[in-house]
């Protein structure tokens, strides 16, 4: 019998209650050996709770009901000591943020050795740390076992986590949003690693994600969840070609809108919410070109670098001779991998990074070297939206204090009554209930928090808005909503916008021009249409090829062609 004809995991009528409130309702699905099952849905859909219920890693006070049968054993009937035989051994997990899962005081070698020793009673032969690094594609790094988590990249940390997870040949690997917020080339390499692990080790995999492009790339079967329930399930090709549920169709429509492909008209119901980001309004050509709001010329940003033994080893340039400009009413997209320098440019503009060369001009005012009152006045003309709205919003303050902070700090408005009134107006502008002004951060969803961050950024009517990866950690439908919100606010307030992202397709939905960065340098600069459809630089073409397309047929053809090209370039050696 073929392994894919067998059932390794059977989840039947699973319910999960937290503090007495049921949050997952009657979920059922199966997983077979060698199969990748994607759990898909927006934040709060219950997908991570469902996945973590299998190894019983739910929050304290949670209760499970229904049935979870693994290889013929009913997991819900096991005691905690009985569950330890399976958890980490036959059922392993890889989490979204490896930095929080790796001990900062332990080396990579320490972590892998601990992973091996912790499950010595597991099934399968014992592997050594170096062999595990080879398995996840990190074997060529001679000193990696001696490095600490902060000394390796995000993609390498995620691979190390995967290496520890497969130390004892698990039969089931659960990966909970492992590629969220990674740049597209790192994501592509990580997905390839997971595919190779499943194929070579013949393990099953549950892959939790909200990215439909990732689903198209890696999944065999899809379970779509919403509000704690399964709304649709099936093989990946059927789900993408002919989605039956309205919610599935809206997810696919939003994903295709972000990737510049028109959804099938028959696949989007008339009552589904609009998800296609409208192009910027085209106004009659002005007699005079719009004034330049921000100009960065030949900027160099350098940090003092330190050797492995804490000896000074000179300075390292994070940005090298970068030049760009953006006019009022226009959006400039900055794209690149992690470490390319794109966020460093934003920090240089905001005065948060050491500019050692070049100039930053804000509406004609030179910002480099500006100090005191003049600098504070100039900085008041900038607004900023950060990647993580949770960490950028003070949990102790009500929303009216948060969104009006720039007004208060600039001295333009100081009395509480006026600030509260203005806060209500701002919340209404970003599509939130104006009566929420006394709510706090924990009472909002991720998308609502980002709307609050945007309201704060535009509260003082800045000349320039800097948005640094504002959608990378958000669900696909929320991404579309936030992008449309930024476009609408820009048309209303006419500010210049610098939009930073690692995804060229996301940038293309909102930007007039695009700058591509690599290793601290600008390697391509042109109109959005030119960069997306006719890129001149090979690196730009690599970035575009790395973005997974939300269509399993197209994506797998692209992946196959890319793999063949990689094998040919490598001389035919196995990757």
């Amino acid at each position: 019998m073929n392994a894919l004809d067998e059932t390794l995991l059977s989840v039947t009528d699973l319910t999960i209650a937290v503090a007495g409130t049921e949050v997952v309702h009657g979920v059922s699905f199966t997983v077979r050996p060698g199969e990748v099952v994607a759990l898909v849905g927006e934040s709060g859909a219950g997908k991570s709770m469902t996945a973590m219920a299998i190894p019983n890693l739910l929050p304290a006070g949670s209760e499970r009901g229904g049935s979870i049968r693994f290889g013929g054993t009913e997991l819900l009937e096991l005691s905690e000591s009985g569950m330890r035989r399976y958890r980490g051994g036959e059922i392993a997990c890889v989490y979204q943020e490896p930095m929080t899962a790796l001990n900062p005081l332990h080396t990579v070698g320490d972590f892998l050795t601990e992973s091996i020793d912790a499950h010595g009673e597991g099934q399968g032969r014992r592997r050594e740390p170096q062999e595990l690094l080879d398995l996840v594609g990190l074997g060529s790094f001679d000193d990696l076992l001696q490095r600490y988590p902060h000394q390796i990249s995000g993609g390498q940390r995620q691979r190390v986590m995967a290496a520890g997870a497969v130390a004892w040949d698990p039969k089931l690997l659960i990966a909970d949003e492992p590629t969220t917020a990674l740049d597209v080339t790192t994501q592509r390499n990580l997905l390839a690693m997971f595919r190779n692990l499943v194929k070579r080790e013949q393990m099953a995999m549950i892959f939790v994600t909200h990215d439909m492009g990732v689903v198209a790339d890696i999944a065999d079967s899809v379970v779509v969840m919403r509000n704690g329930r399964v709304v649709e399930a099936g093989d990946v090709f059927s789900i993408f070609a002919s989605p039956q549920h309205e919610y599935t169709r809206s997810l696919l429509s939003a994903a295709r809108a972000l990737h510049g492909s028109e959804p099938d008209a028959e696949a989007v119901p008339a009552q589904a919410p609009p998800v296609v980001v409208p192009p910027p309004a085209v106004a009659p050509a002005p007699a005079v070109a719009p004034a330049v709001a921000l100009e960065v010329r030949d900027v160099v940003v350098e940090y003092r670098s330190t050797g492995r033994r804490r000896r000074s080893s000179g300075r390292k340039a994070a940005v090298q001779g970068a030049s760009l400009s953006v006019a009022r009413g226009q959006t400039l997209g900055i794209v690149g991998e992690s470490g390319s320098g794109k966020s460093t440019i934003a920090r240089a503009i905001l005065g948060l990074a050491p500019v050692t060369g070049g100039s930053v001009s804000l509406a004609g005012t030179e910002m480099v070297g500006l100090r005191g009152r003049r600098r504070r006045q100039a900085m008041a003309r900038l607004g900023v939206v950060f990647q993580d709205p949770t960490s950028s919003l003070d949990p102790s303050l009500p929303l009216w204090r948060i969104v009006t902070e720039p007004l208060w700090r600039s001295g333009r408005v100081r009395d509480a009554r006026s600030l509260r009134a203005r806060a209500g107006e701002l919340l209404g502008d970003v599509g939130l209930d104006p009566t929420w002004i006394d709510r706090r951060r924990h009472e909002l969803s991720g998308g609502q928090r980002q709307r609050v961050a945007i309201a704060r950024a535009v509260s003082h009517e800045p000349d320039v808005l800097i948005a640094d990866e504002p959608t990378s950690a958000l669900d696909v439908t929320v991404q579309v909503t936030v992008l449309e919100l930024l476009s609408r606010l820009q048309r209303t307030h006419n500010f210049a916008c610098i939009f930073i992202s690692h995804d060229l397709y996301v940038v293309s939905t909102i930007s007039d021009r695009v700058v591509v960065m690599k290793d601290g340098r600008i390697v391509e600069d042109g109109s959005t249409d030119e960069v997306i459809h006719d890129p001149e630089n090979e690196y730009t073409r690599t970035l575009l090829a790395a973005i997974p397309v939300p269509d399993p047929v197209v994506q797998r053809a692209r992946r196959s062609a890319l793999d063949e090209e990689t094998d040919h370039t490598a001389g035919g050696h196995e990757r």
Side-chain angles (χ1 to χ4, degrees):
M1 179 181 293
N2 189 301
L4 286 177
D5 294 329
E6 303 171 359
T7 297
L8 173 68
L9 176 74
S10 178
V11 177
T12 307
D13 294 329
L14 174 66
T15 61
I16 302 173
V18 179
T21 301
E22 190 170 286
V23 295
V24 171
H25 321 282
V27 167
S28 299
F29 62 91
T30 60
V31 185
R32 297 167 294 181
E35 181 182 29
V36 178
V37 175
L39 298 186
V40 182
E42 297 172 304
S43 296
K47 55 189 187 296
S48 292
M49 293 285 282
T50 297
M52 290 301 104
I54 296 166
N56 196 18
L57 291 175
L58 294 172
S62 301
E63 297 181 356
R64 301 175 297 169
S67 171
I68 303 176
R69 297 193 67 84
F70 179 78
T73 299
E74 177 54 64
L75 299 184
L76 295 190
E77 296 177 355
L78 296 179
S79 64
E80 176 58 24
S81 60
M83 192 65 221
R84 290 196 197 104
R85 175 179 176 272
Y86 292 91
R87 188 192 302 128
E90 296 193 39
I91 303 174
C93 299
V94 177
Y95 305 101
Q96 176 175 342
E97 181 42 69
M99 198 61 179
T100 61
L102 297 174
N103 190 325
L105 301 180
H106 290 178
T107 65
V108 170
D110 293 336
F111 167 74
L112 294 179
T113 299
E114 182 180 0
S115 298
I116 293 168
D117 293 342
H119 303 289
E121 297 179 0
Q123 301 297 315
R125 66 182 180 83
R126 178 188 178 96
R127 287 185 167 119
E128 296 304 318
Q130 186 59 50
E131 184 182 0
L132 292 175
L133 292 185
D134 293 337
L135 190 65
V136 297
L138 293 177
S140 62
F141 293 88
D142 295 334
D143 65 340
L144 191 61
L145 291 174
Q146 285 74 50
R147 295 188 191 181
Y148 291 88
H150 71 276
Q151 295 175 313
I152 61 178
S153 70
Q156 289 172 332
R157 287 194 290 266
Q158 198 60 280
R159 285 174 181 252
V160 168
M161 279 293 299
V166 300
W168 281 98
D169 294 330
K171 295 178 180 178
L172 174 65
L173 180 63
I174 300 173
D176 188 6
E177 298 273 13
T179 63
T180 297
L182 295 178
D183 64 65
V184 291
T185 51
T186 302
Q187 174 181 264
R188 181 188 67 190
N189 294 335
L190 202 63
L191 291 174
M193 179 207 72
F194 281 125
R195 288 195 304 269
N196 289 337
L197 281 176
V198 169
K199 181 178 179 180
R200 291 164 58 181
E201 305 301 308
Q202 272 303 293
M203 68 175 73
M205 186 174 183
I206 294 176
F207 199 100
V208 180
T209 184
H210 60 254
D211 189 324
M212 300 304 287
V214 169
V215 174
D217 185 88
I218 198 171
D220 299 301
S221 301
V222 183
V223 177
V224 184
M225 296 188 65
R226 187 183 192 189
N227 298 329
R229 302 180 187 278
V230 174
V231 298
E232 188 164 0
D235 73 271
V236 66
F237 297 100
S238 298
I239 292 290
F240 277 74
S242 182
Q244 300 300 303
H245 196 276
E246 174 185 330
Y247 177 65
T248 310
R249 292 195 287 267
S250 69
L251 286 179
L252 288 171
S253 178
R256 289 161 178 159
L258 285 177
H259 287 77
S261 58
E262 290 296 330
D264 185 344
E266 296 182 358
V268 183
Q271 65 270 33
V275 293
V276 178
V277 179
V282 179
V288 180
V292 173
L294 177 73
E295 184 174 19
V296 174
R297 181 174 296 177
D298 299 324
V299 158
V300 176
V301 177
E302 293 180 321
Y303 294 97
R304 186 178 298 280
S305 60
T306 303
R308 293 289 303 278
R309 297 183 179 178
R310 299 184 181 274
R311 296 176 182 173
S312 176
S313 56
R315 304 183 72 87
K316 178 181 179 181
V319 173
Q320 307 177 58
S323 297
L324 53 87
S325 65
V326 60
R328 290 187 68 90
Q330 294 184 345
T331 297
L332 175 71
I334 304 180
V335 183
E337 297 172 287
S338 298
S340 64
K342 57 187 187 298
S343 291
T344 303
I345 283 187
R347 293 174 60 82
I349 296 169
L350 295 167
L352 302 175
V355 177
T356 56
S359 64
V360 177
S361 177
L362 179 62
T365 300
E366 176 55 50
M367 301 293 290
V368 178
L370 205 60
R371 296 290 183 270
R373 181 181 179 184
R374 292 185 60 200
R375 179 167 186 81
R376 288 194 296 272
Q377 290 175 338
M379 291 297 293
R381 305 169 77 172
L382 291 171
V384 59
V385 181
F386 297 102
Q387 175 177 345
D388 183 4
T390 300
S391 61
S392 67
L393 303 181
D394 191 327
S396 66
L397 296 179
L399 297 189
W400 71 268
R401 286 281 305 278
I402 291 174
V403 300
T404 59
E405 181 182 10
L407 285 172
W408 184 85
R409 287 189 175 277
S410 68
R412 292 167 58 180
V413 182
R414 282 298 176 94
D415 67 284
R417 179 175 295 181
S418 297
L419 289 173
R420 289 174 63 89
R422 180 59 179 146
E425 295 173 1
L426 289 165
L427 292 182
D429 286 345
V430 297
L432 297 177
D433 190 334
T435 65
W436 288 6
I437 59 173
D438 289 311
R439 290 193 179 189
R440 282 172 165 74
R441 185 188 74 183
H442 69 275
E443 298 178 85
L444 307 177
S445 70
Q448 289 169 340
R449 291 171 187 168
Q450 198 61 292
R451 286 172 179 254
V452 169
I454 293 170
R456 177 179 58 185
V458 302
S459 64
H460 56 305
E461 299 182 350
D463 294 334
V464 180
L465 177 69
I466 298 174
D468 189 2
E469 298 272 14
T471 64
S472 63
L474 300 178
D475 304 318
V476 61
T477 52
V478 181
Q479 285 188 48
V480 172
T481 303
V482 169
L483 291 171
E484 194 283 328
L485 171 62
L486 285 172
S487 295
R488 177 170 59 80
L489 289 173
Q490 186 181 49
R491 292 194 294 271
T492 301
H493 299 284
N494 200 40
F495 53 76
C497 181
I498 292 181
F499 189 94
I500 298 169
S501 177
H502 58 253
D503 191 325
L504 265 167
Y505 285 130
V506 169
V507 165
S508 71
T509 64
I510 195 172
S511 301
D512 301 288
R513 294 186 64 81
V514 175
V515 163
V516 181
M517 296 194 67
K518 184 178 189 294
D519 297 331
R521 299 182 184 276
I522 293 175
V523 299
E524 187 146 4
D525 182 353
S527 71
T528 300
D529 186 67
E530 291 171 342
V531 173
I532 295 296
H533 299 294
D534 189 22
E536 295 182 355
N537 191 273
E538 179 62 31
Y539 176 68
T540 307
R541 291 192 284 270
T542 299
L543 287 181
L544 287 166
I547 303 171
V549 175
D551 182 319
V553 176
V554 174
Q555 174 57 25
R556 292 171 200 220
R558 293 171 75 240
R559 186 218 301 165
S560 178
L562 184 63
D563 289 346
E564 289 180 7
E565 180 180 344
T566 302
D567 289 342
H568 177 74
T569 303
H573 297 294
E574 182 180 2
R575 291 175 296 114

